[in-house]
């Protein structure tokens, strides 16, 4: 995480001074009535919300530092219930809906709230956050946290937030997903970049999802994270790691790189492509994962990637992006585009040669798994709602290997309903003939 910039600190100091000098705070301190605290909250919390949103958009790597400043007593607990929710949801959750690692920031925020002079008011707004956070945490972690407090009332309050029903995985999952939906419109995502291969293994999943979040976020200013990603890509200790390849793929597809950043990334890409066993296979697999994660592999993304790649290298990856370039420029119905697809699929049809080489150290795929040419084609035609290429290559339940190859003409015959112009601006029309029932099975 990065430290908070000086100009942000100055703005926060000014805001804290306003809070401390306000008439609303003076009134609340005299009466200690909840209505007077709410008046203070109504006056200043919207400004904190706006400030938080500004930092999240411009400098997301400084969000945790910002939240730590807001924990100070000068801010009177304002916005802390929301910060607690952010800390609960940032933690990486495994397949059993438990935290993959202890959440120190969640602990720190909760301790700050419990030690706040305004705890009796704040606790009315944090019950669900604690319940979900405790549901995702281990019993030992929770016990250690509760034992840090000497105040018996606080200890009892926290113990009541540990609900037995969340020992059941299904209930825990439902609670987590329901709680997460409450923050669907909040921009609170941040990440920490690893410094060692060991840290990379631990941090890669949240880092990847943070970068995807930034790609999908409308109006995001990613200028502050580009140097961090570039340094990550350039780190030779991370080369040939699957996580490094995935971040590299996201970077070249969705970020407009210039100057030194572009040179560094392109150099790293060529090195990893040459040295990493099974590079092409993992690259194509991640293209499909990117679609499942909601990323749009549009023509602009394709152009960025093919510009970064060395297309002089003779392999399936170069063939794939060369074919994409032709398809985007010529349209699906042109003879040149059809020939490019035929050549690409012919060169990548042999699964053993391109996808299952023993030297890759990768598990062998079932023979029914399509060659990576089909993986590449699936995302092209998916945008046009036509999957004939998948249907053509996947063997039917009672088909022979010969019939599998003979179905290739069906792939080209599907183009009669595809757009005549380039794929950059068109989609399949509503009047197109229906697709066969097997389409979408992949």
């Amino acid at each position: 995480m990065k430290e908070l910039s000086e100009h942000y600190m100055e703005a926060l100091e000014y805001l804290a001074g306003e809070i401390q000098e306000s008439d609303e705070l003076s009134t609340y301190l005299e009466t200690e009535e909840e209505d007077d605290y709410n008046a203070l909250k109504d006056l200043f919390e919207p400004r904190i919300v706006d400030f938080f949103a500004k930092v999240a958009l411009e400098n997301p790597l400084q969000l945790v530092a910002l939240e730590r400043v807001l924990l100070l007593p000068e801010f009177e607990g304002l916005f802390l219930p929301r910060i607690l929710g952010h800390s609960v949801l940032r933690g990486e959750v495994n397949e059993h809906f438990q935290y993959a690692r202890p959440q120190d920031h969640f602990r720190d925020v909760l301790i700050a709230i419990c030690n706040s002079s305004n705890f009796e008011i704040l606790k009315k707004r944090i019950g669900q956050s604690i319940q979900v956070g405790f549901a995702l945490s281990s019993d030992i972690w929770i016990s250690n946290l509760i034992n840090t407090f000497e105040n018996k009332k606080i200890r009892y309050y926290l113990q009541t937030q540990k609900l037995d029903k969340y020992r059941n995985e299904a209930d825990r999952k439902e609670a987590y997903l329901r709680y997460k939906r409450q923050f669907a419109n909040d921009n609170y995502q941040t990440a920490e970049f690893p410094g060692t291969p060991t840290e990379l293994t631990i941090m890669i999943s949240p880092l990847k999802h943070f970068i995807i979040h930034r790609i999908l976020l409308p109006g995001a200013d990613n200028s502050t994270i580009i140097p961090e990603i570039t340094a990550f890509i350039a780190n030779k200790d991370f080369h040939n790691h699957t996580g490094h390849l995935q971040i590299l793929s996201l970077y070249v597809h969705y970020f407009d790189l210039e100057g030194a950043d572009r040179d560094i990334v392109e150099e790293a890409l060529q090195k990893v492509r040459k040295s990493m066993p099974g590079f092409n296979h993992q690259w194509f697999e991640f293209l499909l994962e990117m679609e499942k994660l909601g990323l749009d592999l549009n023509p602009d993304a394709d152009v960025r990637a093919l510009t970064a790649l060395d297309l002089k290298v003779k392999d399936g990856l170069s063939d794939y992006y060369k074919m994409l370039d032709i398809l985007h420029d010529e349209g699906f119905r042109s003879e040149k585009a059809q020939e490019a697809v035929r050549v690409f699929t012919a060169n990548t049809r042999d699964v053993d040669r391109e996808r299952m080489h023993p030297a890759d150290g990768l598990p062998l795929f079932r023979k029914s798994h399509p060659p990576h040419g089909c993986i590449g084609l699936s995302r092209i035609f998916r945008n046009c709602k036509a999957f004939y290429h998948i249907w053509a290559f996947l063997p039917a339940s009672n088909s022979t290997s010969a019939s599998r190859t003979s179905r290739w003409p069906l792939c080209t015959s599907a183009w009669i309903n595809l757009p005549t112009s380039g794929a950059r601006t068109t989609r399949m029309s509503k009047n197109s003939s229906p697709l066969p029932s097997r389409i979408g099975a992949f």
Side-chain angles (χ1 to χ4, degrees):
M1 301 297 175
K2 303 195 68 132
E3 295 299 320
L4 201 60
S5 298
E6 185 175 349
H7 66 284
Y8 290 146
M9 283 296 300
E10 292 175 353
L12 287 172
E13 289 173 0
Y14 182 80
L15 179 58
E18 285 191 281
I19 293 172
Q20 292 301 312
E21 295 174 4
S22 66
D23 294 335
E24 287 76 11
L25 178 60
S26 297
T27 302
Y28 166 64
L29 292 177
E30 290 177 3
T31 65
E32 295 186 354
E33 294 291 334
E34 185 173 351
D35 288 343
D36 292 324
Y37 181 83
N38 289 335
L40 177 71
K41 178 172 71 70
D42 292 341
L43 179 62
F44 288 103
E45 198 164 273
R47 293 173 60 182
I48 297 177
V49 171
D50 291 342
F51 188 84
F52 186 93
K54 175 181 174 63
V55 176
L57 202 62
E58 298 174 350
N59 285 281
L61 301 182
Q62 298 184 22
L63 279 182
V64 172
L66 167 60
E67 291 176 351
R68 287 173 178 160
V69 173
L70 293 174
L71 299 182
L72 296 175
E74 289 81 358
F75 291 94
E76 299 296 335
L78 300 174
F79 198 58
L80 290 195
R82 206 68 183 174
I83 291 177
L84 184 66
H86 298 163
S87 68
V88 169
L89 291 174
R90 284 200 193 108
E92 181 185 358
V93 176
N94 62 24
E95 66 275 13
H96 300 297
F97 287 85
Q98 296 173 320
Y99 283 135
R101 290 174 302 281
Q103 296 303 301
D104 293 341
H105 190 51
F106 169 45
R107 178 200 62 203
D108 294 342
V109 176
L110 184 53
I111 289 175
I113 292 175
C114 291
N115 288 333
S116 170
S117 59
N118 304 311
F119 172 68
E120 292 299 323
I121 295 174
L122 294 176
K123 73 177 185 180
K124 299 177 182 179
R125 300 169 56 198
I126 62 175
Q128 188 181 17
S129 297
I130 300 174
Q131 291 167 13
V132 174
F134 280 6
L136 302 173
S137 303
S138 69
D139 290 342
I140 295 176
W141 187 90
I142 297 171
S143 296
N144 289 338
L145 171 63
I146 294 176
N147 289 334
T148 61
F149 296 99
E150 296 182 1
N151 188 308
K152 292 183 179 180
K153 289 184 178 180
I154 294 177
R155 293 174 65 171
Y156 176 75
Y157 170 76
L158 294 177
Q159 287 169 349
T160 61
Q161 305 307 312
K162 183 181 176 182
L163 306 183
D164 287 338
K165 69 176 181 178
Y166 292 144
R167 295 185 182 277
N168 180 279
E169 183 177 326
D171 291 336
R172 193 164 60 245
K173 174 182 178 180
E174 181 183 358
Y176 173 75
L177 295 178
R178 183 173 61 248
Y179 182 72
K180 189 176 182 179
R181 285 194 291 269
Q182 298 179 26
F183 292 79
N185 296 323
D186 285 17
N187 177 21
Y188 58 89
Q189 299 289 353
T190 186
E192 188 172 357
F193 282 80
T196 66
T198 301
E199 291 180 346
L200 173 61
T201 303
I202 297 173
M203 298 177 181
I204 186 58
S205 180
L207 176 59
K208 179 174 69 174
H209 285 91
F210 165 70
I211 293 175
I212 291 172
H213 168 76
R214 298 299 297 186
I215 293 170
L216 296 174
L217 183 64
D221 178 3
N222 291 321
S223 60
T224 59
I225 69 173
I226 283 180
E228 301 294 331
I229 304 178
T230 300
F232 172 86
I233 296 298
N235 192 330
K236 295 181 181 179
D237 291 339
F238 299 154
H239 288 189
N240 297 349
H241 188 288
T242 299
H244 180 270
L245 177 146
Q246 293 176 348
I247 302 299
L248 180 58
S249 181
L250 290 171
Y251 207 30
V252 300
H253 277 98
Y254 294 103
F255 289 79
D256 294 313
L257 304 176
E258 299 177 351
D261 289 325
R262 169 176 285 278
D263 294 340
I264 291 171
V265 171
E266 290 183 358
E267 181 182 357
L269 175 57
Q270 313 320 332
K271 287 181 178 179
V272 174
R273 183 183 180 188
K274 182 179 180 180
S275 64
M276 184 175 183
F279 178 90
N280 286 3
H281 156 66
Q282 295 192 54
W283 186 276
F284 281 115
E285 288 288 346
F286 189 59
L287 289 182
L288 289 183
E289 182 181 340
M290 286 159 66
E291 282 206 323
K292 292 176 183 177
L293 293 171
L295 292 171
D296 182 14
L297 279 162
N298 54 39
D300 289 337
D302 292 331
V303 169
R304 291 189 194 98
L306 69 88
T307 302
L309 286 163
D310 182 3
L311 299 183
K312 296 178 182 178
V313 177
K314 296 182 179 180
D315 63 5
L317 194 62
S318 293
D319 293 341
Y320 169 67
Y321 282 100
K322 288 176 182 177
M323 175 192 65
L324 280 182
D325 197 30
I326 295 173
L327 287 171
H328 291 323
D329 287 339
E330 300 288 337
F332 288 104
R333 295 175 69 177
S334 74
E335 292 184 5
K336 186 176 180 181
Q338 294 182 27
E339 181 60 25
V341 174
R342 289 192 188 96
V343 170
F344 175 69
T345 53
N347 289 340
T348 59
R349 190 175 299 171
D350 186 346
V351 183
D352 288 329
R353 183 179 71 247
E354 291 283 357
R355 301 201 68 209
M356 304 192 315
H357 197 288
D360 288 348
L362 299 170
L364 299 184
F365 281 69
R366 297 187 304 273
K367 290 184 179 180
S368 61
H369 200 289
H372 74 241
C374 285
I375 290 179
L377 287 173
S378 71
R379 43 131 326 217
I380 301 171
F381 286 92
R382 192 169 306 173
N383 292 333
C384 298
K385 302 186 185 301
F387 298 107
Y388 276 86
H389 56 294
I390 296 296
W391 188 85
F393 278 104
L394 282 175
S397 57
N398 297 318
S399 65
T400 64
S401 59
S403 64
R404 175 190 181 204
T405 305
S406 66
R407 286 204 296 274
W408 168 241
L410 294 174
C411 188
T412 55
S413 68
W415 290 339
I416 60 174
N417 290 319
L418 293 176
T420 56
S421 60
R424 298 180 191 275
T425 57
T426 59
R427 294 289 185 268
M428 180 179 253
S429 68
K430 296 181 179 179
N431 297 324
S432 302
S433 59
L435 303 176
S437 60
R438 290 198 60 194
I439 291 174
F442 179 53

